[in-house]
């Protein structure tokens, strides 16, 4: 096993060992099951909840602190003084952060599905959505000291505001591509002013994958050059 | 652990013209340094720049000007340098939920060792630092001394020819301290380049004779500690005595050849300056008894290390 893969597994186990993480991992699929079976909530609504809100917010909670937590804890020194590219260390920590999000949201996406085809599309959207959001918030965590506030504003204000804007502007949000890939309805202000169609599903898959690669690449470039050690 | 340095890069640290700024504060100022095999003590008061220097050498920071090379490699840009370098950081920070063994094993695996070899190396390193019986204990339940030893174990588990130890004796008990001092000496005798930072002179003295002294971010003295000791022997030493009639005691003591000055500070306090502390300690009770005086209190404003640094570093023609 490569050292970076080992490091990802080591931190994934640490993340999953935390009580708060386990709560998310167990509770989220359970809530989805309850919504579908006990309260008869439509599959579409559960899918929207999982993809549009839970994937981004959980990605923010786990991804925003990818290295910042270790910088604050001053444990980053241990990983950064090993014969491994810092970008590989970052990627390993990012994977460890995305792990709990995927473990919690993928079963919830399965529960939300009304059919096998829907299930495949929702799971793919949840997986790619987790990758895109975690890497984006991970990058923000390297650039700003309080990525959580910025991330909350992005998810709950920016994307929320843009999603109903008529025309192409609504397609610049990640959630429009998550909905498109997951086969969910796009919201609109009225039937006279429908939101723009992001295109076929593979365009959305490509957009989410591109965001992931771009954010990981830029973060790796920053990590190689930036001093991340506290000097107090 | 084999106990011998691995073949790899040449043990050696080169710091050339290095300046490091924290905002407008000059943490290090034009430092030039070359260190080879053996133990070198990095001495300086708190905030003098020791840890910054070690962070630069261990690639955690990048110099603003100048170059740092470890075995010919740039530690900030070339992570392969860490195959030959082990660092025991100053901060008492860990992955607290891990055991000593799992912590050191995990970090050793990052050097590319398989699970079994990493575990064997971790156990050997922990045994070497005296943690054989406690390696299964969770770090959060360890004493400060055990945590310190665990930190040292992760620095030496991959047998690096260059070892940086930032304040390694902090929190250790006297027996543990003696063991770690012996370990550091042994690492140096094996031909490794070992740098130990400390603000405690006698701790460093127990490990090595080679010292580098830093203050206000500048390199103030390098060389053999015996030379620094010789300077200490000549140092004027102030001694404060509280006694009922300081003027009478001053008159009796000021005639002694080693007493340079006797100043009556107030109605009950006398400050003496001597070049021979031992002689003054012999003379003081004798002269006080002859005058029928009882010494209420003795003390020295020069007893702290800070004043020693000040003397060594700021005296005209100080050591370089």
């Amino acid at each position: 096993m490569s050292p970076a893969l080992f490091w990802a597994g080591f931190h994934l186990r640490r993340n999953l060992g935390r009580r708060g993480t386990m709560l998310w991992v167990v509770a989220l699929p359970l809530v989805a099951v309850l919504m579908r079976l006990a309260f008869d909530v439509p599959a579409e609504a559960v899918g929207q909840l999982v993809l549009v809100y839970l994937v981004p917010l959980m990605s923010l909670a786990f991804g925003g602190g990818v290295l910042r937590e270790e910088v604050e804890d001053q444990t980053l020194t241990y990983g950064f003084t090993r014969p491994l590219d810092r970008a590989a260390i970052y990627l390993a920590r990012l994977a460890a952060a995305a792990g709990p999000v995927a473990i919690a949201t993928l079963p919830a996406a399965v529960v939300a599905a009304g059919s096998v085809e829907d299930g495949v599309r929702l799971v793919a959207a949840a997986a790619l959505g987790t990758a895109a959001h975690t890497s984006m918030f991970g990058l923000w965590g390297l650039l700003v000291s309080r990525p959580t506030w910025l991330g909350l504003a992005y998810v709950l204000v920016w994307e929320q505001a843009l999603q109903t804007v008529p025309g192409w502007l609504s397609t610049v949000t990640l959630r429009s591509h998550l909905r498109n890939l997951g086969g969910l309805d796009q919201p609109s202000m009225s039937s006279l002013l429908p939101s723009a169609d992001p295109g076929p599903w593979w365009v959305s898959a490509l957009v989410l994958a591109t965001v992931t690669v771009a954010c990981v690449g830029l973060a790796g470039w920053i990590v190689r050059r930036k001093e991340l050690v506290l000097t107090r | 652990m084999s106990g011998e340095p691995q073949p790899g890069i040449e043990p050696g640290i080169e710091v050339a013209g290095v300046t490091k700024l924290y905002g407008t504060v000059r943490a290090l100022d034009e430092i030039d340094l070359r260190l080879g095999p053996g133990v070198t003590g990095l001495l300086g008061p708190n905030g003098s720049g020791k840890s910054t220097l070690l962070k630069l050498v261990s690639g955690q920071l990048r110099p603003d000007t100048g170059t740092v090379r470890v075995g010919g490699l740039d530690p900030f840009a070339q992570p392969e340098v860490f195959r030959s370098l082990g660092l025991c950081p100053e901060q008492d920070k860990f992955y607290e939920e891990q055991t000593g063994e799992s912590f050191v094993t995990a970090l050793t695996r990052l050097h590319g060792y398989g699970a079994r070899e990493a575990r064997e190396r971790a156990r050997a390193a922990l045994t070497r630092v005296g943690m054989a019986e406690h390696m299964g204990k969770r770090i959060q339940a360890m004493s400060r001394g055990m945590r310190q030893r665990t930190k040292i174990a992760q620095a030496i588990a991959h047998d690096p020819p260059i070892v940086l130890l930032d304040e390694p004796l902090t929190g250790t008990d006297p027996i543990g301290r003696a063991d770690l001092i012996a370990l550091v000496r042994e690492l140096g005798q094996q031909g490794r380049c070992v740098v130990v930072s400390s603000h405690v002179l006698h701790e460093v003295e127990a490990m090595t004779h080679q010292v580098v002294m830093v203050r206000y971010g500048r390199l103030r003295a390098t060389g053999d500690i015996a030379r620094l000791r010789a300077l200490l022997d000549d140092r004027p030493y102030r001694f404060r005595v509280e006694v009922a009639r300081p003027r009478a005691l001053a008159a009796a003591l000021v005639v002694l050849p080693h007493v340079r000055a006797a100043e009556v500070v107030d109605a009950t306090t006398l400050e003496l300056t001597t070049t021979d502390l031992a002689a003054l300690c012999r003379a003081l009770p004798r002269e006080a008894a002859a005058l029928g005086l009882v010494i209420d209190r003795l003390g020295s404003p020069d007893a702290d290390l800070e004043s020693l640094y000040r003397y060594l570093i700021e005296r005209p023609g100080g050591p370089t």
Side-chain angles (χ1 to χ4, degrees):
Chain A
M1 188 191 291
S2 83
L5 205 58
F6 165 77
W7 201 232
F10 175 77
H11 281 286
L12 179 60
R13 284 191 297 278
R14 292 189 69 230
N15 282 342
L16 290 175
R18 290 176 185 153
R19 225 172 292 166
T21 309
M22 284 314 291
L23 199 69
W24 276 105
V25 167
V26 174
L28 203 55
L30 213 63
V31 167
V33 169
L34 277 176
M35 285 172 78
R36 291 281 282 128
L37 300 181
F39 300 101
D40 208 19
V41 177
E44 167 77 20
V46 179
Q48 293 273 1
L49 176 72
V50 172
L51 288 191
V52 175
Y53 293 104
L54 295 177
V55 165
L57 291 176
M58 280 193 73
S59 298
L60 175 62
F62 286 92
V66 164
L67 285 188
R68 186 151 296 281
E69 192 183 291
E70 284 215 82
V71 172
E72 297 289 334
D73 286 353
Q74 296 182 279
T75 50
L76 191 65
T77 303
Y78 294 117
F80 270 20
T81 52
R82 306 292 149 182
L84 274 181
D85 190 327
R86 289 166 185 222
I89 293 273
Y90 172 79
L91 197 58
R93 294 291 278 109
L94 191 69
V101 184
I103 291 171
T105 56
L106 296 191
V110 171
V111 172
S115 67
V116 174
E117 192 193 339
D118 286 354
V120 171
R121 290 188 69 166
L122 280 171
V123 166
L128 268 177
T130 299
H133 281 96
T134 313
S135 46
M136 185 175 72
F137 295 134
L139 172 64
W140 289 7
L142 293 174
L143 297 174
V144 297
S145 57
R146 302 239 179 275
T148 308
W149 292 110
L150 190 63
L152 283 173
Y154 174 80
V155 175
L156 301 176
V157 180
W158 175 258
E159 291 231 321
Q160 191 76 21
L162 284 191
Q163 70 176 357
T164 52
V165 173
W168 63 272
L169 212 53
S170 64
T171 64
V172 299
T173 61
L174 288 180
R175 68 171 58 170
S176 72
H177 291 286
L178 280 178
R179 285 191 179 109
N180 191 38
L181 182 59
L184 301 173
D185 296 336
Q186 301 285 351
S188 59
M189 288 174 81
S190 75
S191 55
L192 294 175
L193 293 169
S195 294
D197 179 9
W201 66 267
W202 58 265
V203 170
S204 292
L206 196 65
V207 167
L208 293 170
T210 304
V211 167
T212 305
V213 171
C215 288
V216 168
L218 187 54
W221 185 84
I222 290 169
V223 162
R224 283 196 188 114
R225 282 157 187 79
K226 191 174 177 181
E227 293 175 343
L228 289 164
V229 174
L230 284 186
T231 49
R232 62 170 173 244
Chain B
M1 288 180 73
S2 65
E4 296 298 326
Q6 286 181 330
I9 60 174
E10 186 73 19
I13 294 167
E14 284 185 60
V15 177
V18 163
T19 296
K20 182 67 193 170
L21 301 168
Y22 294 146
T24 55
V25 177
R26 239 168 230 272
L28 288 177
D29 191 6
E30 289 290 322
I31 297 275
D32 289 293
L33 195 61
R34 286 170 68 97
L35 301 175
V39 181
T40 303
L42 182 59
L43 269 170
N46 289 327
S48 58
K50 302 187 300 293
S51 289
T52 299
L53 184 55
L54 288 186
K55 283 189 172 107
L56 284 161
V57 173
S58 60
Q60 298 176 75
L61 296 175
R62 192 171 37 191
D64 290 302
T65 62
T67 56
V68 178
R69 293 288 179 269
V70 177
L73 300 174
D74 176 354
F76 190 88
Q78 295 172 284
E80 55 269 32
V81 76
F82 295 108
R83 292 193 191 288
S84 308
L85 193 153
L87 169 73
C88 168
E90 180 188 20
Q91 66 268 20
D92 182 42
K93 303 291 180 181
F94 295 87
Y95 303 126
E96 297 281 345
E97 78 288 353
Q98 300 291 313
T99 65
E101 184 183 337
S102 63
F103 176 74
V104 179
T105 302
L107 294 174
T108 308
R109 287 205 64 180
L110 293 186
H111 288 270
Y113 297 112
R116 182 181 294 181
E117 188 174 359
R119 195 179 309 114
E120 283 169 4
R121 282 176 172 272
R123 284 178 179 166
L126 284 159
T127 303
R128 201 166 180 200
V129 297
M131 285 288 289
E133 291 172 14
H134 306 288
M135 62 174 77
K137 202 171 189 173
R138 278 183 190 268
I139 293 172
Q140 62 199 8
M142 286 182 181
S143 67
R144 183 76 197 269
M146 287 181 197
R147 293 161 71 91
Q148 202 67 18
R149 287 159 183 253
T150 304
K151 253 190 329 188
I152 296 172
Q154 63 78 32
I156 63 172
H158 59 290
D159 264 344
I162 300 169
V163 183
L164 309 177
L165 305 170
D166 199 351
E167 304 275 359
L169 303 182
T170 307
T172 53
D173 57 54
I175 296 171
R177 197 168 304 155
D179 290 346
L180 291 180
I181 286 170
L183 172 67
V184 170
R185 291 171 67 112
E186 188 190 324
L187 291 172
Q189 283 159 4
Q190 287 169 350
R192 295 171 208 266
C193 172
V194 184
V195 182
V196 188
S197 88
S198 177
H199 60 275
V200 183
L201 184 63
H202 69 265
E203 280 181 3
V204 170
E205 199 173 10
M207 294 182 221
T208 182
H209 294 293
Q210 283 302 118
V211 293
V212 170
M213 207 174 233
V214 190
R215 185 177 163 86
Y216 297 137
R218 291 193 171 189
L219 202 62
R220 300 295 185 148
T222 59
D224 196 303
I225 207 163
R227 213 174 127 230
L228 300 178
R229 274 286 176 209
L231 287 166
L232 285 185
D233 291 342
D234 297 336
R235 170 170 78 137
Y237 204 89
R238 286 182 301 157
F239 213 73
R240 194 165 275 207
V241 187
E242 284 187 21
V243 68
R245 287 186 289 134
R247 214 169 280 279
L249 188 60
L253 290 169
V254 79
V255 296
L256 298 174
H258 55 80
V259 176
R260 282 201 189 166
E263 182 189 352
V264 177
V265 179
D266 57 38
T268 59
T269 310
L270 172 65
E271 191 168 288
L272 300 159
T273 304
T274 178
T275 53
D276 189 342
L277 187 59
L280 181 67
C281 289
R282 285 193 298 273
L284 188 60
R286 188 182 64 226
E287 297 299 333
L291 291 165
L293 295 172
V294 175
I295 294 169
D296 295 322
R297 184 178 288 183
L298 286 172
S300 170
D302 287 344
D304 61 316
L305 188 63
E306 183 66 19
S307 68
L308 163 64
Y309 288 126
R310 201 177 305 127
Y311 173 71
L312 285 173
I313 286 163
E314 292 171 3
R315 69 193 278 273
T320 54

